[in-house]
Amino acid sequence: DSGVTQTPKHLITATGQRVTLRCSPRSGDLSVYWYQQSLDQGLQFLIQYYNGEERAKGNILERFSAQQFPDLHSELNLSSLELGDSALYFCASSVGGTSGSRETQYFGPGTRLLVL
Amino acid sequence: GENVEQHPSTLSVQEGDSAVIKCTYSDSASNYFPWYKQELGKGPQLIIDIRSNVGEKKDQRIAVTLNKTAKHFSLHITETQPEDSAVYFCAARSPGSGGSNYKLTFGKGTLLTVNP
């Protein structure tokens, strides 16, 4: 158990809908990262937050957004869902910072999203 | 941006044999290289990592080597056991624009099967 929690575990929804995925980082970690994992694209970095502020952006679609709250939990919002958004979404956390062991990322169990 | 290539995509070995997975990266500024193991239905779990100022690191049956000049790094698993069967991902951490906003770029993964 990495100490990172994600809810829900599974989510089934329809095209055009909007969903929110939630992540709680390990105790003491300030950074939260979101990843999308699909069969053809592998693990793709979406976005990182550090202590409430956006720190880095990856291949995140404009239909997707995220935020990190004062208690450090994070939410990933996916809107106008398309069939191709079906994937596993992982959250990871790290202590924060740019050097040493502070950047080691620990992954949660993921949310499996199925868009029908 | 960073590009990480991982080979092979599948690897099948007999129990007790060694397994080697290789990765190459493109950004010479990358300075941190973690390896993750992902079992079915779970999130990636960090198994070993290496920083750019070290050439080799070992942890029991697992070792990682890094060749900065050639920009490649490898995972070595000795005395493999059936419970080593999983998908293994390599990753490279590279700086974004301005030298900050580090992010992890993952290889596509290697499905390792250890046959009893």
Side-chain angles (χ1 to χ4, degrees):
Chain A
D1 184 3
S2 67
V4 178
T5 60
Q6 288 186 249
T7 56
K9 279 198 77 160
H10 304 277
L11 200 46
I12 301 174
T13 188
T15 53
Q17 294 298 304
R18 172 190 167 96
V19 298
T20 298
L21 313 184
R22 183 188 168 104
C23 166
S24 292
R26 294 186 321 154
S27 177
D29 284 1
L30 298 179
S31 270
V32 169
Y33 311 77
W34 286 97
Y35 291 87
Q36 181 191 58
Q37 185 177 42
S38 58
L39 279 173
D40 56 341
Q41 292 293 322
L43 263 168
Q44 297 283 314
F45 168 68
L46 296 178
I47 197 165
Q48 177 202 357
Y49 277 80
Y50 174 75
N51 203 21
E53 294 194 4
E54 183 182 303
R55 173 63 70 88
K57 231 170 180 174
N59 303 321
I60 189 165
L61 300 172
E62 284 193 15
R63 301 183 284 109
F64 296 0
S65 65
Q67 53 184 325
Q68 185 179 28
F69 295 86
D71 67 352
L72 301 176
H73 91 271
S74 178
E75 292 180 357
L76 178 67
N77 300 296
L78 315 176
S79 62
S80 302
L81 284 167
E82 302 175 359
L83 296 177
D85 297 327
S86 296
L88 273 165
Y89 291 84
F90 287 105
C91 166
S93 74
S94 71
V95 175
T98 58
S99 64
S101 62
R102 300 176 70 82
E103 81 270 42
T104 301
Q105 294 184 28
Y106 298 90
F107 281 75
T111 293
R112 184 176 293 276
L113 174 67
L114 181 58
V115 182
L116 300 175
Chain B
E2 176 64 280
N3 182 47
V4 177
E5 300 279 342
Q6 183 172 346
H7 299 280
S9 55
T10 61
L11 179 59
S12 183
V13 300
Q14 287 300 121
E15 183 177 358
D17 287 351
S18 294
V20 180
I21 302 170
K22 300 183 179 183
C23 290
T24 60
Y25 61 98
S26 61
D27 189 344
S28 57
S30 288
N31 60 4
Y32 171 66
F33 306 91
W35 285 88
Y36 287 86
K37 174 184 180 182
Q38 186 175 19
E39 296 174 327
L40 198 60
K42 297 186 177 181
Q45 176 191 10
L46 180 73
I47 55 171
I48 195 167
D49 56 13
I50 191 167
R51 288 176 173 81
S52 57
N53 58 348
V54 174
E56 184 173 359
K57 184 176 177 182
K58 209 169 180 179
D59 183 4
Q60 298 183 338
R61 298 186 296 108
I62 295 174
V64 58
T65 58
L66 171 65
N67 182 327
K68 279 196 302 181
T69 305
K71 287 190 278 189
H72 69 67
F73 56 113
S74 300
L75 177 72
H76 304 253
I77 306 174
T78 58
E79 299 171 27
T80 53
Q81 301 165 5
E83 50 266 38
D84 294 330
S85 297
V87 178
Y88 290 81
F89 292 95
C90 63
R93 180 174 168 267
S94 57
S97 57
S100 62
N101 303 334
Y102 286 80
K103 66 175 188 176
L104 277 182
T105 301
F106 284 81
K108 294 270 194 218
T110 296
L111 174 61
L112 173 65
T113 303
V114 180
N115 302 300

